[in-house]
Amino acid sequence: MKGFSMVWFLLIIAGLFETAWALGLKYTEGFTRLWPSVGTLIAMTASFLLLAHCMKTLPVGTAYAVWTGIGIVGTVVLGIFLFNEPLSWPRILFLLMILGGIAGLKWLA
């Protein structure tokens, strides 16, 4: 499966939901706030269900690595903007390396 298909689109959506629930955890304050907790649990469920669906077609290692890579990059980038987390050249370099790995795994799948 060399081309872009619906399964890859769904995997990207799953990764975006992973970013959402990772950020949502911050807002739940240890699951003590109701609505942020509900939203986080919904995002977790959607993320895992989409990932599981994609793993029917894609190699497990590729699907998992791409899913976590999207989640990592999205969480770090949004953490910089939402929570004033530090931004440095080494951090940017390592994020670019993760993106390169995601692209490489997609290319090889």
Side-chain angles (χ1 to χ4, degrees):
M1 177 179 284
K2 291 287 183 190
F4 191 84
S5 65
M6 182 58 78
V7 71
W8 284 102
F9 175 74
L10 292 176
L11 187 59
I12 290 168
I13 299 300
L16 294 174
F17 274 116
E18 186 198 5
T19 300
W21 70 255
L23 292 170
L25 285 174
K26 179 84 168 170
Y27 291 105
T28 69
E29 296 180 12
F31 289 102
T32 61
R33 297 181 60 214
L34 177 62
W35 294 114
S37 298
V38 169
T40 298
L41 291 171
I42 289 169
M44 282 178 174
T45 302
S47 181
F48 284 117
L49 290 175
L50 287 169
L51 175 63
H53 175 74
C54 294
M55 283 185 174
K56 290 185 205 176
T57 306
L58 298 173
V60 66
T62 299
Y64 185 73
V66 170
W67 177 73
T68 56
I70 293 168
I72 291 166
V73 171
T75 302
V76 170
V77 169
L78 288 173
I80 290 166
F81 290 105
L82 296 174
F83 307 122
N84 297 316
E85 293 178 356
L87 176 63
S88 63
W89 287 112
R91 215 165 182 209
I92 293 169
L93 174 67
F94 290 122
L95 284 175
L96 290 173
M97 290 170 65
I98 292 169
L99 287 171
I102 292 169
L105 286 169
K106 196 289 183 203
W107 179 64
L108 292 173

